[in-house]
């Protein structure tokens, strides 16, 4: 028994985006449709209600029966093709067959929503399509398009080729812009057809869900805009219990609004071929004809191939142009970063490259906002307006890189300065403070020629198709040239580079501050030494000079000699202190001259120089095997001499002094150790050991200026090494220093 036929639900056309174009419940009547369950493909479960008109077989006879009821002996041919092929979502050609009433049909098959959908398109020929006369057109198109680089020229060639293949009166190629409007790039038309070249079709002509269909099903044909749709019976998919999804069906019926749109345009037949670039709907090839026009499967197949070729060519040319553009912007960015000076004030450093900043973003003006300062270059809003703009950026939580070519639409006060700042590109150059680098683009007043006024609605909420396609010109104000995707991405990269430079400068400043802090401590110690250590011998000189004057005329020569000796010793101490201060000062200024240094020879030379200090003392020297290193021999000898002299001095209380010099090394550095059995020191104060004028023993016990170890530290650090010490109070000390094997000389 035939299922009851119910009418499909009425269409709600209050919103074009809600129109159920995937489930129209009907097909175009130049063919018929049979549906079989995928899991039981021997029984017809659904058919279009024009079945009897095209085959002579009534719906009641077909539903619930097998294919032979409708196709007769041709059913075996079709079933063999179905068995031999893998049927997917996209329609596949299954052959041309003859029905029992003598008519011929091209058969397309695809699976969707648990159904095997068979579409039968009526054709005049009695044999399968012959592609031999069409393939040369594809080959010729390939040869010609390979010689073209311009997208408009390629589109023009494609329009001519499709018109030649199909016979449509007008073929247009248009590209969608970011707002969904279609700009006609190329056109091929027969005499008497109006031209739309250079005009735009509003986005409302192709709503969102229609675009998605163009992405999924790459070709769509309407043979006659006056057609009466053939309904599916039953109207509900028997496998799913929901209306049939005819997304991939070649015969799918289209929106009644679109049919009226075509009739208003004077077009009774149309075909659209999707142009896909990188998986996105880039544009369409749109074909129009003033009278009904059938387009056979083989012609559509060739058109689809031509569309695929054009899409691939557009992608390669676009990629090449994009790469060239990005390379040019990157070169500017590299030059820009290289041109940044090493000034402490980062904003002033950026100000020095303002011309390159404008070239980087193709902007007419730029500004740097840091703290309360605004540095401007080129054509920009005034300082107060920039402060206000930055405050808005900070308070509105805009991302690290912000861009717009219609600033006044987002920030109303910008309407005052649309002339020079309709477009804005802003990057935050601080993670803490509202510091920004801003680029401005001026207003570009331009006109758009629309193919009819872009008006989607007529009346209170009910959609109606456009009635007019007469050229309508609109003048656009308050916008700038758009920002290129490459500019946005490289601006993000540029921001990261700037933040890296800022962080590096901050680290350098922190390191400098630490060095200055240490220098200040040394300066404080120097001041103390000048006021204490140097003043003491000078007082002695003055005091004993006074005593010497008081004894003038007396005969006590012994006392006079003692006074003179004290004066001489004090003067020698003062001179030694001054010499050590000068030596320490030179350590930070003199250039190093590294060469091969025999450390064993240096140690022998230092011991020889210490002979006057050693005199008749008993010192056992233990000199290990010492390597040859790369260093400045003069400075390293001074460091060794200071360490050995200290070892001699602080073992003065030992009957037998033991001083050992040894070395260890690894792949990165060589370490030298000078160990003694002297007085040692308290490790609680080891942090003071290498500071200027720092003493861990009384001056009376171990005289000295307190500069020697500071000199050692400075010499070793100038070589890129490190210095340290270990000790047990009263048992001796070991002083160590390292020299890297690959010395980075300042």
């Amino acid at each position: 028994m035939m299922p009851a036929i119910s009418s499909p639900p009425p269409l709600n056309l209050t919103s074009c985006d809600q129109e159920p174009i995937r489930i129209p419940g009907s097909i175009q009547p130049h063919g018929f449709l049979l549906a079989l369950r995928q899991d039981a493909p021997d029984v017809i479960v659904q058919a279009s209600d024009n079945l009897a008109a095209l085959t002579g077989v009534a719906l009641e006879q077909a539903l619930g029966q097998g294919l032979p009821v409708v196709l007769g002996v041709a059913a075996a041919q079709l079933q063999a093709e179905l068995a031999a092929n893998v049927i997917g979502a996209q329609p596949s050609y299954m052959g041309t067959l003859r029905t029992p009433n003598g008519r011929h049909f091209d058969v397309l098959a695809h699976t969707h929503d648990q159904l095997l959908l068979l579409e039968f398109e009526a054709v005049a020929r009695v044999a399968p399509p012959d592609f031999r006369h069409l393939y040369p057109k594809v080959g010729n198109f390939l040869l010609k398009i390979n010689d073209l680089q311009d997208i408009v020229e390629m589109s023009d060639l494609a329009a001519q080729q499709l018109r030649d293949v199909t016979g449509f009166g007008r073929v247009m190629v248009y590209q969608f812009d970011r707002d969904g409007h279609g700009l006609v790039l190329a056109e091929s038309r027969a005499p008497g057809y109006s031209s739309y070249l250079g005009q735009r079709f509003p986005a409302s002509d192709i709503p969102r869900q229609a675009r998605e269909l163009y992405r999924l099903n790459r070709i769509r044909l309407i043979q006659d805009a006056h057609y009466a749709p053939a309904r599916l019976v039953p109207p509900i998919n028997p496998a799913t219990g929901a209306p049939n999804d005819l997304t991939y069906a070649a015969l799918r019926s289209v929106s009644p609004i679109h049919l009226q749109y075509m009739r208003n345009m004077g077009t009774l037949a149309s075909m659209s071929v999707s142009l896909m670039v990188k998986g996105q709907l880039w544009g369409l090839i749109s074909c129009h004809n003033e009278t009904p026009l059938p387009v056979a499967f083989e012609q559509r197949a060739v058109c689809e191939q031509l569309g695929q070729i054009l899409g691939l060519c557009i992608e390669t040319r676009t990629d090449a142009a994009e790469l060239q553009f990005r390379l040019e912007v990157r070169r500017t960015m590299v030059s820009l970063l290289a041109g940044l000076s090493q000034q402490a004030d980062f904003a002033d450093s950026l100000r020095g490259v303002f011309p390159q900043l404008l070239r980087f973003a193709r902007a007419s003006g730029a500004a740097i906002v840091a703290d309360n300062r605004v540095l401007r270059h080129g054509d920009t809003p005034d300082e107060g307006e920039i402060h206000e703009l930055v405050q808005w950026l900070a308070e509105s939580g805009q991302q690290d890189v912000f861009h717009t070519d219609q600033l006044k639409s987002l920030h109303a006060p910008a309407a005052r300065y649309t002339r020079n700042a309709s477009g804005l590109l802003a990057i935050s150059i601080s993670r803490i403070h509202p510091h920004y680098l801003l680029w401005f683009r001026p207003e570009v007043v331009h006109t758009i020629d629309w193919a009819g006024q872009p008006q989607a609605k007529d009346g209170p909420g009910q959609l109606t198709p456009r009635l007019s396609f007469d050229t309508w010109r609109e003048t656009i104000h308050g916008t700038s040239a758009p920002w290129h995707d490459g500019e946005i991405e490289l601006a993000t990269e540029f921001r990261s580079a700037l933040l890296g430079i800022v962080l590096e400068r901050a680290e350098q400043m922190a390191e400098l501050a630490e060095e200055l802090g240490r220098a200040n401590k040394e300066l404080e110690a120097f001041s103390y030494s000048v006021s204490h250590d140097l003043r003491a011998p000078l007082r002695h000189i003055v005091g004993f000079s006074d005593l010497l004057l008081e004894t003038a005329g007396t005969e006590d020569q012994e006392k006079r000699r003692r006074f003179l000796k004290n004066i001489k010793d004090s003067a020698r101490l003062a001179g030694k202190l001054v010499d050590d201060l000068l030596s320490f000062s030179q350590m930070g200024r003199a250039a190093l001259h590294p060469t091969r240094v025999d450390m064993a020879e240096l140690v022998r030379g230092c011991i020889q120089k210490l002979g006057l200090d050693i005199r008749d003392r008993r010192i056992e020297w233990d000199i290990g095997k010492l390597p040859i290193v790369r260093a400045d021999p003069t400075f390293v000898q001074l460091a060794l001499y200071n360490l050995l002299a200290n070892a001699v001095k602080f073992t003065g209380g030992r009957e037998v002094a033991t001083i050992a010099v040894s070395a260890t090394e690894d792949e990165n550095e060589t370490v030298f150790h000078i160990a003694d059995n002297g007085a040692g020191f308290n490790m609680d104060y080891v942090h003071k050991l290498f500071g200027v004028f720092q003493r861990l023993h009384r001056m009376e016990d171990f005289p000295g200026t307190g500069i020697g170890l500071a000199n050692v530290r400075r010499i070793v650090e100038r070589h890129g090494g490190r210095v340290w010490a270990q000790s047990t109070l009263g048992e001796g000390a070991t002083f160590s220093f390292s020299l890297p094997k690959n010395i980075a000389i300042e």
Side-chain angles (χ1 to χ4, degrees):
M1 180 178 177
M2 178 180 170
I5 299 176
S6 59
S7 299
L11 295 179
N12 175 16
L13 301 184
T14 56
S15 170
C16 205
D17 276 351
Q18 296 176 12
E19 189 180 2
I21 59 176
R22 294 195 189 201
I23 51 171
S26 58
I27 63 170
Q28 299 180 54
H30 60 272
F32 66 92
L33 180 145
L34 298 177
L36 297 80
R37 294 181 68 107
Q38 277 186 265
D39 56 359
D42 296 327
V43 178
I44 299 171
V45 296
Q46 209 173 15
S48 57
D49 66 4
N50 62 341
L51 180 64
L54 293 178
T55 67
V57 178
L59 277 173
E60 294 84 350
Q61 293 177 270
L63 290 173
Q65 303 300 315
L67 288 176
V69 172
V70 177
L71 305 180
V73 295
Q77 173 191 340
L78 177 56
Q79 287 169 333
E81 287 291 335
L82 291 172
N85 292 275
V86 177
I87 310 301
Q90 295 292 341
S92 299
Y93 174 70
M94 293 291 108
T96 301
L97 54 80
R98 180 177 182 275
T99 56
N101 65 346
R103 300 191 64 173
H104 291 81
F105 297 87
D106 284 343
V107 185
L108 303 179
H110 75 282
T111 57
H112 194 57
D113 268 0
Q114 303 178 41
L115 292 181
L116 170 62
L117 299 175
L118 301 176
E119 299 178 81
F120 299 79
E121 293 187 34
V123 291
R125 52 180 160 73
V126 298
D130 186 355
F131 288 91
R132 287 177 298 178
H133 69 289
L134 292 173
Y135 281 142
K137 296 181 183 294
V138 176
N140 185 52
F141 179 70
L142 273 171
L143 288 174
K144 289 182 178 179
I145 202 168
N146 279 334
D147 294 332
L148 302 177
Q149 297 300 319
D150 183 73
I151 291 176
V152 172
E153 292 180 350
M154 293 190 299
S155 300
D156 187 64
L157 177 65
Q160 295 174 27
Q161 194 71 60
L162 259 78
R163 185 163 164 256
D164 180 51
V165 169
T166 62
F168 276 99
R170 176 175 53 230
V171 178
M172 301 182 296
V173 178
Y174 60 87
Q175 176 187 1
F176 294 124
D177 65 17
R178 61 179 181 176
D179 296 319
H181 306 311
L183 172 63
V184 180
L185 300 178
E187 181 181 70
S188 176
R189 57 193 175 92
Y193 279 80
S194 57
S195 174
Y196 294 103
L197 185 62
Q199 297 187 18
R200 290 180 188 266
F201 284 80
S204 57
D205 284 4
I206 306 178
R208 175 187 52 78
Q209 80 277 30
R211 290 171 185 276
E212 180 61 14
L213 271 181
Y214 281 126
R215 188 183 69 81
L216 297 173
N217 193 349
R218 308 292 172 81
I219 190 165
R220 186 215 61 188
L221 171 69
I222 302 172
Q223 284 195 12
D224 185 353
H226 285 302
Y227 78 81
R231 293 178 301 148
L232 298 184
V233 180
I236 299 300
N237 181 335
T240 64
N244 291 73
D245 185 343
L246 298 180
T247 293
Y248 300 100
L251 292 174
R252 176 180 58 84
S253 187
V254 300
S255 162
I257 293 180
H258 183 73
L259 293 175
Q260 186 59 52
Y261 175 97
M262 288 176 59
R263 293 191 289 267
N264 292 349
M265 196 179 190
T267 298
L268 292 187
S270 74
M271 186 177 74
S272 297
V273 179
S274 304
L275 295 176
M276 304 297 296
V277 174
K278 295 183 178 179
Q280 302 298 316
L281 185 64
W282 183 90
L284 289 176
I285 303 176
S286 185
C287 309
H288 299 164
N289 207 65
E290 292 177 346
T291 59
L293 180 68
V295 181
F297 168 77
E298 66 271 22
Q299 293 172 298
R300 302 202 307 270
V302 168
C303 292
E304 192 171 3
Q305 285 189 342
L306 294 178
Q308 290 172 350
I309 294 169
L310 178 59
L312 289 172
C313 290
I314 289 172
E315 184 171 326
T316 57
R317 304 315 191 264
T318 302
D319 282 348
E322 178 80 7
L323 178 60
Q324 183 62 36
F325 176 82
R326 287 172 184 262
L327 283 174
E328 291 175 3
V329 176
R330 186 174 293 280
R331 286 193 194 101
T332 304
M333 183 180 76
V334 171
S335 171
L336 184 57
L337 291 170
L340 290 176
S341 68
Q342 294 299 315
Q343 297 182 49
D345 190 307
F346 190 65
D348 286 334
S349 180
L350 277 173
R351 178 164 59 179
V353 291
F354 261 139
Q356 294 98 309
L357 283 173
L358 292 188
R359 195 161 60 249
F360 171 74
R362 299 185 299 169
S364 58
I368 302 164
V369 180
D371 299 320
N372 290 319
R373 288 193 304 157
V374 176
L375 307 177
R376 298 185 294 155
H377 181 75
D379 191 8
T380 72
D382 63 36
E383 186 170 324
E385 291 167 337
I386 291 176
H387 270 303
E388 178 190 51
L389 181 58
V390 165
Q391 184 178 0
W392 170 73
L393 286 171
E395 291 177 353
S396 58
Q398 299 294 347
Q399 57 268 42
D400 296 333
V401 177
F402 170 81
H403 64 94
T404 179
D405 58 3
Q406 301 177 46
L407 181 57
K408 72 174 185 178
S409 67
L410 301 175
H411 180 53
R416 300 194 304 269
Y417 44 87
T418 54
R419 181 193 64 79
N420 53 7
S422 286
L424 171 68
L425 173 61
I427 63 174
S428 168
I429 53 177
S430 171
R431 293 189 174 96
I432 303 173
H433 306 290
H435 296 173
Y436 285 88
L437 175 55
L438 310 171
W439 286 277
F440 302 101
R441 280 184 178 172
E443 179 182 35
V444 178
V445 179
H446 60 287
T447 59
I448 296 177
D449 288 336
W450 296 97
Q453 186 171 355
Q455 181 74 23
K457 291 187 177 182
D458 182 20
Q462 182 70 18
L463 280 175
T464 59
R466 279 201 286 134
L467 300 176
S468 172
F469 292 86
D470 293 337
T471 300
W472 183 79
R473 177 162 292 179
E474 180 183 14
T475 302
I476 306 298
H477 295 274
T479 64
S480 72
W483 301 99
H484 191 280
D485 288 343
E487 290 171 326
I488 306 305
E489 291 177 18
L490 287 171
T492 304
E493 191 175 324
F494 182 53
R495 176 182 180 271
S496 298
L498 289 182
L499 289 178
I501 293 173
V502 170
L503 180 60
E504 182 181 358
R505 297 265 179 95
E507 290 174 346
Q508 291 173 350
M509 295 300 291
E511 185 178 343
L512 181 60
E514 182 180 353
E515 184 65 28
L516 287 174
R518 189 164 65 181
N520 282 335
K521 289 181 180 179
E522 292 176 352
L523 185 59
E524 290 173 5
F526 171 77
S527 301
Y528 175 80
S529 177
V530 169
S531 64
H532 183 273
D533 292 9
L534 189 57
R535 186 168 57 185
L538 292 176
R539 279 179 174 175
H540 289 168
I541 292 172
V542 172
F544 284 110
S545 296
D546 289 341
L547 291 172
L548 189 60
L549 288 173
E550 290 175 5
T551 60
T554 69
E555 298 301 324
D556 191 349
Q557 295 299 320
E558 182 62 29
K559 184 182 288 187
R560 291 170 64 85
R561 277 194 296 273
R562 183 161 47 85
F563 290 164
L564 285 171
K565 181 178 182 303
N566 288 335
I567 290 172
K568 181 180 178 181
D569 290 343
S570 297
R572 182 184 293 115
L573 179 60
K576 180 70 166 62
L577 182 61
V578 171
D579 288 344
D580 285 352
L581 283 171
L582 288 173
S583 176
F584 181 75
S585 165
Q586 290 171 351
M587 290 303 100
R589 300 196 309 270
L592 300 184
H593 301 286
T595 186
R596 285 169 55 85
V597 176
D598 187 336
M599 294 296 286
E601 185 178 335
L602 279 191
V603 169
R604 287 193 294 270
C606 291
I607 292 174
Q608 188 176 357
K609 286 178 64 177
L610 287 167
L612 292 175
D613 295 329
I614 295 172
R615 298 183 185 274
D616 56 355
R617 284 183 54 195
R618 289 183 60 191
I619 297 180
E620 294 181 355
W621 295 95
D622 180 10
I623 310 301
K625 184 178 179 180
L626 303 179
I628 293 175
V629 298
R630 178 172 171 79
D632 186 300
T634 303
F635 283 152
V636 171
Q637 184 180 41
L638 179 58
L640 273 173
Y641 181 82
N642 277 318
L643 292 173
L644 292 171
N646 271 359
V648 168
K649 178 170 63 176
F650 287 100
T651 56
R654 303 299 187 199
E655 183 178 346
V656 178
T658 301
I659 301 175
V661 182
S662 61
T664 59
E665 59 182 324
D666 59 26
E667 61 181 8
N668 298 316
E669 62 181 4
T670 305
V671 179
F672 297 92
H673 309 279
I674 294 90
D676 64 64
N677 65 338
F681 58 86
N682 189 334
M683 285 294 289
D684 290 343
Y685 305 103
V686 69
H687 61 282
K688 292 185 175 183
L689 198 59
F690 295 97
V692 183
F693 307 118
Q694 299 291 333
R695 299 189 187 92
L696 303 187
H697 302 84
R698 294 192 309 161
M699 179 76 165
E700 293 80 0
D701 297 333
F702 299 100
T705 61
I707 300 176
L709 289 180
N711 263 338
V712 172
R713 187 202 72 197
R714 181 165 285 192
I715 289 169
V716 172
E717 288 182 353
R718 287 286 306 277
H719 282 77
R722 52 200 174 91
V723 61
W724 66 98
Q726 291 287 332
S727 176
T728 300
L729 187 61
E731 297 182 10
T734 299
F735 286 81
S736 305
F737 68 91
S738 69
L739 293 175
K741 292 191 173 179
N742 295 313
I743 292 180
I745 301 300
E746 297 176 355

